[in-house]
């Protein structure tokens, strides 16, 4: 089991207590209100028509170039699992942005790829496969679409993981990445919509690549509930607009609180913040005393990543935790 | 897209109409009553603890040997997708029971395996990989556990797909297959429990094989809803007992109706029946006139597979359809 956020059972096992606030991920804690689901969404196999409607709703919500084919999967993670097996086996050297979401490099290595870390896309020229997370997790670094399109011309294949792009839509390659045969764009549904337990994500790319992924994922990769909720939420444009504004304000609010604890913001997105602390382990334990779970990293003694609280009671507790040291 | 049951949108596109009764699959139309789900099951990532509890509930429900490791996946289909990539790449000749569920052979071929059909397990000796569906779909043929354990000793690796074994629990290798290192047992949740839209299934096998599949499936392969509903349903022993009796009676009832149409039962399980008809296409179209969707097969001019109706209104319509020709 690799190191991940969202392992709230580990927090409970380590520190005890219940009613934890899990800020160890970038999953929005102001979730989309799940509509009442008729029992029938669970009964039959999801139809092809329903799956196509879901992909169409995602393409519409994110302004995808109509030349891009799309596929719904059980989370962006499901796409990350398939990518290493979907690409031609000749030429197996991958360059992966680092530090970043650790599953990309790990899944490639598990499938037999030779993987090198790259500090930025500029160092990826000539790779058989390049993987960029944009905006990046955990540091929030980001690259402009034109620069990534240029990178696609200099590598064998380019995967851009846009799991956090809902809060920076101007960065997305979905609107301009059509017609680029060696590009795959991954999107998460659960993070911005706060519904990670639904297991829904998407891949967009050439018809050929999407057909290959679909063959590997099988005929029914997402649940009937994910289709129904996903369609509903992705078509709710006003909610998404309002949520972007809310999260933008929340990010500033979190930074202001963190400053009181002496933490310096190193970056992040409007779904999570990365702070420089004097001692990351101590900072995490300080929050844990208040049953707030955060994320630290094996490669840094100072970094602490913090998701954003939702309800006011959570903000109150975070403020107490940050000012009681 | 391969030929499958459950493609009710194809029926609607071809014949028009709404309110179809989909008997083209073996999915129970007397579904387990889905409990009210708190919205929180959709919010966070499923914890390791919750996933372990689900596997434990399945192992308990099916009497699994404690030496077997287990893994929850997005349907038995998800396991079928992974198997071809999880086995060592040396020695790539698979023997697959035929006729049977067509995804086994197709997924193996798509992953580069050399696949031969076998009419029965007796013809599989010496294969690098043998795949048996027990009881088999669509013909209901079945093999005793001891015979399949013996087969495991004569092949490189044995996959037994027990997707329909809930109605023939005495056939399952789960209680006696512990300690066999080259055996993988697949189980469906959605068929017997009538909740195919939930996307839930299981794989049981050696610790090493299950760890490999878990690595390929990623840390969160099933939804929070699937975990909650799955735990609830799998622990409901009285429901399963009563449902087995109900489906057994339903199968006899369906055979009696089919006889009125001049169809002869060739086999099946208590979740679907296989009939010999004078002309399968005409028989399917006769049912379709009454908005009942059934399954015929590209390899047979006579076979028609029929799931079992649930509510009395469905039985009434099936009787009208079968007696109005």
């Amino acid at each position: 089991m690799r190191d991940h956020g969202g392992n709230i059972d580990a927090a409970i096992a380590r520190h005890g207590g219940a009613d934890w606030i899990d800020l160890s991920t970038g999953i929005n804690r102001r979730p989309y209100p799940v509509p009442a689901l008729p029992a029938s969404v669970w009964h039959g196999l999801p139809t092809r028509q329903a799956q196509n409607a879901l992909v169409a709703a995602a393409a519409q919500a994110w302004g995808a170039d109509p030349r891009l084919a799309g596929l719904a999967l059980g989370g962006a993670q499901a796409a990350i699992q398939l990518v290493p097996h979907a690409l031609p086996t000749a030429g197996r050297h991958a360059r992966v942005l680092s530090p970043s979401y650790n599953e990309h490099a790990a899944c490639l290595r598990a499938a037999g790829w030779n993987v090198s870390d790259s500090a930025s896309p500029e160092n990826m020229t000539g790779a058989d496969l390049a993987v960029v997370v944009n905006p990046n997790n955990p540091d929030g670094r980001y690259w402009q679409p034109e620069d990534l399109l240029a990178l696609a011309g200099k590598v064998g294949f380019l995967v851009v993981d846009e799991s956090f792009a809902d809060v920076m839509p101007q960065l997305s390659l979905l609107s301009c990445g059509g017609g680029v045969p060696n590009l795959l764009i991954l999107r998460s549904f659960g993070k911005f919509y706060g519904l990670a337990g639904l297991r829904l994500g998407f891949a967009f790319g050439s018809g050929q690549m999407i057909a290959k992924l679909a063959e590997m994922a099988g005929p029914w990769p997402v649940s009937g509930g994910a289709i129904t909720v996903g369609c509903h939420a992705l078509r709710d444009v006003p909610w998404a607009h309002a949520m972007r504004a809310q999260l933008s304000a929340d990010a500033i609010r979190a930074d202001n609180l963190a400053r009181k604890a002496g933490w310096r913001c190193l970056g992040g997105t409007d779904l999570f913040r990365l702070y420089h602390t004097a001692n990351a382990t101590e900072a995490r334990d300080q929050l844990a005393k208040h049953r707030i779970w955060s994320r630290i990293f094996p490669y840094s003694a100072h970094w602490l990543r913090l998701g954003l609280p939702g309800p006011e009671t959570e903000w109150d507790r975070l403020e107490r935790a940050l000012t009681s040291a």
Side-chain angles (χ1 to χ4, degrees), chain A residues 41-48 51 220 224:
Chain A
V41 306
W42 307 120
H43 293 167
L45 288 165
T47 62
R48 180 61 30 200
Q51 296 182 59
W220 311 286

Side-chain angles (χ1 to χ4, degrees), chain A residues 72-131:
Chain A
L73 292 163
Q77 179 69 36
I80 292 169
Q81 301 286 147
L82 293 179
V83 162
H85 302 276
L87 291 167
T89 53
R92 307 272 279 173
H93 194 95
R95 289 191 170 274
V96 177
L97 185 68
S98 177
S100 190
Y101 182 56
N102 62 15
E103 286 285 342
H104 287 286
C107 287
L108 286 162
R109 286 197 179 98
W113 284 77
N114 184 356
V115 179
S116 305
D117 292 346
S118 283
S120 86
E122 292 80 50
N123 308 122
M124 294 181 179
T125 302
D128 297 309
L129 167 63
V131 180

Side-chain angles (χ1 to χ4, degrees), chain A residues 200-274:
Chain A
L200 180 60
F202 297 85
F204 289 90
S206 71
Q208 193 182 352
M209 182 63 180
I210 293 302
K212 175 74 183 159
L213 292 174
E215 169 70 42
M216 299 185 73
W220 311 286
V222 297
S223 72
I227 293 173
T228 301
V229 174
C231 282
H232 197 91
L234 288 162
R235 289 171 185 153
D236 192 343
V237 175
W239 185 90
H241 272 283
M243 185 51 61
R244 272 191 282 272
Q246 174 74 59
L247 292 171
S248 176
D250 287 347
I252 294 167
R253 185 176 177 184
D255 289 355
N256 286 336
L257 290 182
R259 205 172 295 125
K260 295 187 188 179
W263 299 355
R264 181 164 49 90
C265 182
L266 296 170
T269 70
D270 290 350
L271 283 161
F272 59 84
R273 312 303 291 166
L274 184 68

Side-chain angles (χ1 to χ4, degrees), chain A residues 165-233:
Chain A
D166 294 78
V167 291
M168 299 183 83
Q170 72 284 7
L171 296 182
S172 177
L173 287 173
L174 282 175
S175 58
C176 58
V180 182
N182 63 332
L183 172 65
L184 187 72
I185 303 159
L186 310 185
R187 297 288 296 222
S188 168
F189 173 82
K191 293 179 184 73
F192 178 66
Y193 290 90
L195 298 173
L198 199 63
R199 306 315 298 134
L200 180 60
F202 297 85
F204 289 90
S206 71
Q208 193 182 352
M209 182 63 180
I210 293 302
K212 175 74 183 159
L213 292 174
E215 169 70 42
M216 299 185 73
W220 311 286
V222 297
S223 72
I227 293 173
T228 301
V229 174
C231 282
H232 197 91

